[in-house]
Amino acid sequence: DAGITQSPRHKVTETGTPVTLRCHQTENHRYMYWYRQDPGHGLRLIHYSYGVKDTDKGEVSDGYSVSRSKTEDFLLTLESATSSQTSVYFCAISDFDSYGYTFGSGTRLTVV
Amino acid sequence: DQQVKQNSPSLSVQEGRISILNCDYTNSMFDYFLWYKKYPAEGPTFLISISSIKDKNEDGRFTVFLNKSAKHLSLHIVPSQPGDSAVYFCAASEGSARQLTFGSGTQLTVLP
């Protein structure tokens, strides 16, 4: 989607390795989010950010950490990947004048 | 415990007929509701929303109805088109919180 990009689009990694996913926006939006999508669970919030260096945990934050050192970048790190973290990860952005999100195209992560 | 529930994982409808997708919620503090559409290998895209002060909102072929007493909302698509085939997610927001809680999604298939 225009204004928000995720990288990589696909990744296969081994159990126990650290993995970092990147979300980059050009919209200068204040809020950024990481969700994971799994069958039967829909989209579940992992972490979110409401400004540079301001982050908080979501519903399924165990095993994940985030950082936001610049407005445009929001990084999601799996400290030691496990098979249960195989999922599709979506980044989203929003601003103070809107309840809706704009989503990125997603990162498909497979942990083997 | 899921606060937003979409109890029908899938729905098939004939082209030209009405599609009705349902969503229930348990958190009475939710006051803004949204529907997103998702095609394979893409991020969800915003479709339509409704504030809790309204009971209906229309946008072209799409209408969302909100029944606060029943904690139920529905999305009507009339007439349904093959291009509407996608996964539809219901989402809800509480007050000034900038986090959306999503349902598990309904796969809509519109048959030509």
Side-chain angles (χ1 to χ4, degrees), chain A residues 34-53:
Chain A
W34 278 106
Y35 281 83
R36 59 179 287 176
Q37 184 195 3
D38 304 288
H41 293 278
L43 294 156
R44 292 181 293 174
L45 181 64
I46 305 171
H47 281 279
Y48 62 100
S49 169
Y50 39 96
V52 173
K53 298 192 192 304

mmCIF file of all heavy atoms in Angstrom, chain A residues 34-53:
data_model
loop_
_atom_site.group_PDB
_atom_site.id
_atom_site.type_symbol
_atom_site.label_atom_id
_atom_site.label_comp_id
_atom_site.label_asym_id
_atom_site.label_seq_id
_atom_site.Cartn_x
_atom_site.Cartn_y
_atom_site.Cartn_z
ATOM 1 N N TRP A 34 1.647 -3.520 15.250
ATOM 2 C CA TRP A 34 1.973 -4.828 14.697
ATOM 3 C C TRP A 34 0.874 -5.806 15.106
ATOM 4 O O TRP A 34 0.558 -5.938 16.288
ATOM 5 C CB TRP A 34 3.318 -5.346 15.208
ATOM 6 C CG TRP A 34 4.493 -4.795 14.484
ATOM 7 C CD1 TRP A 34 5.380 -3.859 14.924
ATOM 8 C CD2 TRP A 34 4.934 -5.163 13.169
ATOM 9 N NE1 TRP A 34 6.338 -3.617 13.968
ATOM 10 C CE2 TRP A 34 6.084 -4.399 12.877
ATOM 11 C CE3 TRP A 34 4.467 -6.059 12.209
ATOM 12 C CZ2 TRP A 34 6.777 -4.506 11.678
ATOM 13 C CZ3 TRP A 34 5.152 -6.163 11.019
ATOM 14 C CH2 TRP A 34 6.289 -5.397 10.762
ATOM 15 N N TYR A 35 0.317 -6.487 14.088
ATOM 16 C CA TYR A 35 -0.682 -7.526 14.295
ATOM 17 C C TYR A 35 -0.153 -8.820 13.682
ATOM 18 O O TYR A 35 0.645 -8.806 12.753
ATOM 19 C CB TYR A 35 -1.997 -7.181 13.598
ATOM 20 C CG TYR A 35 -2.866 -6.189 14.324
ATOM 21 C CD1 TYR A 35 -2.642 -4.822 14.212
ATOM 22 C CD2 TYR A 35 -3.938 -6.622 15.106
ATOM 23 C CE1 TYR A 35 -3.456 -3.916 14.878
ATOM 24 C CE2 TYR A 35 -4.756 -5.714 15.767
ATOM 25 C CZ TYR A 35 -4.511 -4.373 15.651
ATOM 26 O OH TYR A 35 -5.315 -3.466 16.307
ATOM 27 N N ARG A 36 -0.672 -9.928 14.185
ATOM 28 C CA ARG A 36 -0.449 -11.193 13.517
ATOM 29 C C ARG A 36 -1.798 -11.791 13.121
ATOM 30 O O ARG A 36 -2.801 -11.609 13.839
ATOM 31 C CB ARG A 36 0.357 -12.179 14.371
ATOM 32 C CG ARG A 36 -0.229 -12.549 15.703
ATOM 33 C CD ARG A 36 0.661 -13.549 16.452
ATOM 34 N NE ARG A 36 0.595 -14.885 15.855
ATOM 35 C CZ ARG A 36 1.319 -15.925 16.251
ATOM 36 N NH1 ARG A 36 2.190 -15.784 17.234
ATOM 37 N NH2 ARG A 36 1.198 -17.100 15.659
ATOM 38 N N GLN A 37 -1.812 -12.455 11.978
ATOM 39 C CA GLN A 37 -3.035 -13.075 11.509
ATOM 40 C C GLN A 37 -2.867 -14.580 11.487
ATOM 41 O O GLN A 37 -1.935 -15.102 10.852
ATOM 42 C CB GLN A 37 -3.406 -12.610 10.098
ATOM 43 C CG GLN A 37 -4.730 -13.181 9.632
ATOM 44 C CD GLN A 37 -4.967 -13.053 8.147
ATOM 45 O OE1 GLN A 37 -4.121 -12.578 7.395
ATOM 46 N NE2 GLN A 37 -6.138 -13.458 7.705
ATOM 47 N N ASP A 38 -3.768 -15.278 12.165
ATOM 48 C CA ASP A 38 -3.744 -16.733 12.220
ATOM 49 C C ASP A 38 -5.144 -17.271 11.983
ATOM 50 O O ASP A 38 -6.128 -16.646 12.424
ATOM 51 C CB ASP A 38 -3.239 -17.216 13.584
ATOM 52 C CG ASP A 38 -1.874 -16.662 13.932
ATOM 53 O OD1 ASP A 38 -0.909 -17.115 13.291
ATOM 54 O OD2 ASP A 38 -1.772 -15.784 14.797
ATOM 55 N N PRO A 39 -5.264 -18.402 11.331
ATOM 56 C CA PRO A 39 -6.604 -18.990 11.083
ATOM 57 C C PRO A 39 -7.377 -19.170 12.389
ATOM 58 O O PRO A 39 -6.843 -19.664 13.381
ATOM 59 C CB PRO A 39 -6.261 -20.343 10.450
ATOM 60 C CG PRO A 39 -4.917 -20.165 9.853
ATOM 61 C CD PRO A 39 -4.185 -19.221 10.761
ATOM 62 N N GLY A 40 -8.629 -18.757 12.357
ATOM 63 C CA GLY A 40 -9.483 -18.893 13.535
ATOM 64 C C GLY A 40 -9.320 -17.820 14.582
ATOM 65 O O GLY A 40 -10.109 -17.726 15.518
ATOM 66 N N HIS A 41 -8.284 -16.994 14.429
ATOM 67 C CA HIS A 41 -8.023 -15.938 15.413
ATOM 68 C C HIS A 41 -8.130 -14.543 14.830
ATOM 69 O O HIS A 41 -8.146 -13.559 15.566
ATOM 70 C CB HIS A 41 -6.634 -16.104 16.018
ATOM 71 C CG HIS A 41 -6.489 -17.326 16.868
ATOM 72 N ND1 HIS A 41 -6.910 -17.372 18.194
ATOM 73 C CD2 HIS A 41 -5.988 -18.533 16.586
ATOM 74 C CE1 HIS A 41 -6.657 -18.580 18.670
ATOM 75 N NE2 HIS A 41 -6.098 -19.298 17.737
ATOM 76 N N GLY A 42 -8.195 -14.434 13.560
ATOM 77 C CA GLY A 42 -8.251 -13.113 12.951
ATOM 78 C C GLY A 42 -6.953 -12.366 13.151
ATOM 79 O O GLY A 42 -5.863 -12.945 13.083
ATOM 80 N N LEU A 43 -7.068 -11.091 13.432
ATOM 81 C CA LEU A 43 -5.903 -10.230 13.631
ATOM 82 C C LEU A 43 -5.774 -9.928 15.125
ATOM 83 O O LEU A 43 -6.710 -9.432 15.749
ATOM 84 C CB LEU A 43 -6.072 -8.921 12.863
ATOM 85 C CG LEU A 43 -6.087 -9.057 11.350
ATOM 86 C CD1 LEU A 43 -6.818 -7.889 10.710
ATOM 87 C CD2 LEU A 43 -4.665 -9.132 10.822
ATOM 88 N N ARG A 44 -4.608 -10.216 15.671
ATOM 89 C CA ARG A 44 -4.366 -9.974 17.097
ATOM 90 C C ARG A 44 -3.204 -9.012 17.279
ATOM 91 O O ARG A 44 -2.156 -9.158 16.631
ATOM 92 C CB ARG A 44 -4.092 -11.293 17.822
ATOM 93 C CG ARG A 44 -5.301 -12.219 17.900
ATOM 94 C CD ARG A 44 -4.980 -13.497 18.639
ATOM 95 N NE ARG A 44 -4.025 -14.322 17.899
ATOM 96 C CZ ARG A 44 -3.491 -15.430 18.380
ATOM 97 N NH1 ARG A 44 -3.773 -15.846 19.592
ATOM 98 N NH2 ARG A 44 -2.644 -16.129 17.632
ATOM 99 N N LEU A 45 -3.400 -8.062 18.170
ATOM 100 C CA LEU A 45 -2.426 -6.997 18.382
ATOM 101 C C LEU A 45 -1.229 -7.508 19.179
ATOM 102 O O LEU A 45 -1.389 -8.087 20.255
ATOM 103 C CB LEU A 45 -3.088 -5.823 19.114
ATOM 104 C CG LEU A 45 -2.217 -4.612 19.393
ATOM 105 C CD1 LEU A 45 -1.758 -3.959 18.089
ATOM 106 C CD2 LEU A 45 -2.981 -3.601 20.246
ATOM 107 N N ILE A 46 -0.029 -7.256 18.663
ATOM 108 C CA ILE A 46 1.196 -7.687 19.337
ATOM 109 C C ILE A 46 1.752 -6.531 20.175
ATOM 110 O O ILE A 46 1.925 -6.646 21.383
ATOM 111 C CB ILE A 46 2.252 -8.151 18.308
ATOM 112 C CG1 ILE A 46 1.685 -9.242 17.395
ATOM 113 C CG2 ILE A 46 3.505 -8.664 19.030
ATOM 114 C CD1 ILE A 46 2.594 -9.586 16.224
ATOM 115 N N HIS A 47 2.080 -5.448 19.503
ATOM 116 C CA HIS A 47 2.576 -4.234 20.153
ATOM 117 C C HIS A 47 2.094 -3.039 19.348
ATOM 118 O O HIS A 47 1.775 -3.168 18.166
ATOM 119 C CB HIS A 47 4.110 -4.200 20.167
ATOM 120 C CG HIS A 47 4.765 -5.018 21.211
ATOM 121 N ND1 HIS A 47 4.919 -4.602 22.527
ATOM 122 C CD2 HIS A 47 5.355 -6.234 21.130
ATOM 123 C CE1 HIS A 47 5.570 -5.531 23.204
ATOM 124 N NE2 HIS A 47 5.844 -6.534 22.387
ATOM 125 N N TYR A 48 2.109 -1.887 19.986
ATOM 126 C CA TYR A 48 1.783 -0.677 19.254
ATOM 127 C C TYR A 48 2.634 0.482 19.762
ATOM 128 O O TYR A 48 3.265 0.391 20.822
ATOM 129 C CB TYR A 48 0.290 -0.337 19.358
ATOM 130 C CG TYR A 48 -0.208 -0.062 20.763
ATOM 131 C CD1 TYR A 48 -0.388 1.243 21.210
ATOM 132 C CD2 TYR A 48 -0.532 -1.105 21.611
ATOM 133 C CE1 TYR A 48 -0.860 1.496 22.476
ATOM 134 C CE2 TYR A 48 -1.002 -0.861 22.887
ATOM 135 C CZ TYR A 48 -1.173 0.430 23.316
ATOM 136 O OH TYR A 48 -1.635 0.674 24.586
ATOM 137 N N SER A 49 2.630 1.552 18.987
ATOM 138 C CA SER A 49 3.422 2.722 19.341
ATOM 139 C C SER A 49 2.580 3.972 19.125
ATOM 140 O O SER A 49 1.879 4.094 18.119
ATOM 141 C CB SER A 49 4.677 2.792 18.466
ATOM 142 O OG SER A 49 5.322 4.034 18.621
ATOM 143 N N TYR A 50 2.684 4.894 20.078
ATOM 144 C CA TYR A 50 1.952 6.155 19.946
ATOM 145 C C TYR A 50 2.895 7.338 19.817
ATOM 146 O O TYR A 50 2.506 8.488 20.034
ATOM 147 C CB TYR A 50 0.964 6.339 21.104
ATOM 148 C CG TYR A 50 1.491 5.876 22.437
ATOM 149 C CD1 TYR A 50 2.077 6.753 23.336
ATOM 150 C CD2 TYR A 50 1.389 4.545 22.805
ATOM 151 C CE1 TYR A 50 2.552 6.319 24.556
ATOM 152 C CE2 TYR A 50 1.865 4.097 24.025
ATOM 153 C CZ TYR A 50 2.451 4.983 24.902
ATOM 154 O OH TYR A 50 2.925 4.542 26.110
ATOM 155 N N GLY A 51 4.131 7.037 19.463
ATOM 156 C CA GLY A 51 5.100 8.090 19.208
ATOM 157 C C GLY A 51 6.496 7.520 19.297
ATOM 158 O O GLY A 51 6.697 6.360 19.712
ATOM 159 N N VAL A 52 7.478 8.324 18.923
ATOM 160 C CA VAL A 52 8.867 7.881 18.984
ATOM 161 C C VAL A 52 9.212 7.490 20.418
ATOM 162 O O VAL A 52 8.937 8.236 21.355
ATOM 163 C CB VAL A 52 9.803 8.991 18.480
ATOM 164 C CG1 VAL A 52 11.263 8.598 18.693
ATOM 165 C CG2 VAL A 52 9.537 9.276 17.013
ATOM 166 N N LYS A 53 9.750 6.301 20.537
ATOM 167 C CA LYS A 53 10.168 5.718 21.811
ATOM 168 C C LYS A 53 9.013 5.421 22.772
ATOM 169 O O LYS A 53 9.252 5.022 23.922
ATOM 170 C CB LYS A 53 11.216 6.592 22.513
ATOM 171 C CG LYS A 53 12.499 6.759 21.721
ATOM 172 C CD LYS A 53 13.599 7.369 22.576
ATOM 173 C CE LYS A 53 14.793 7.808 21.762
ATOM 174 N NZ LYS A 53 15.374 6.735 20.953
#
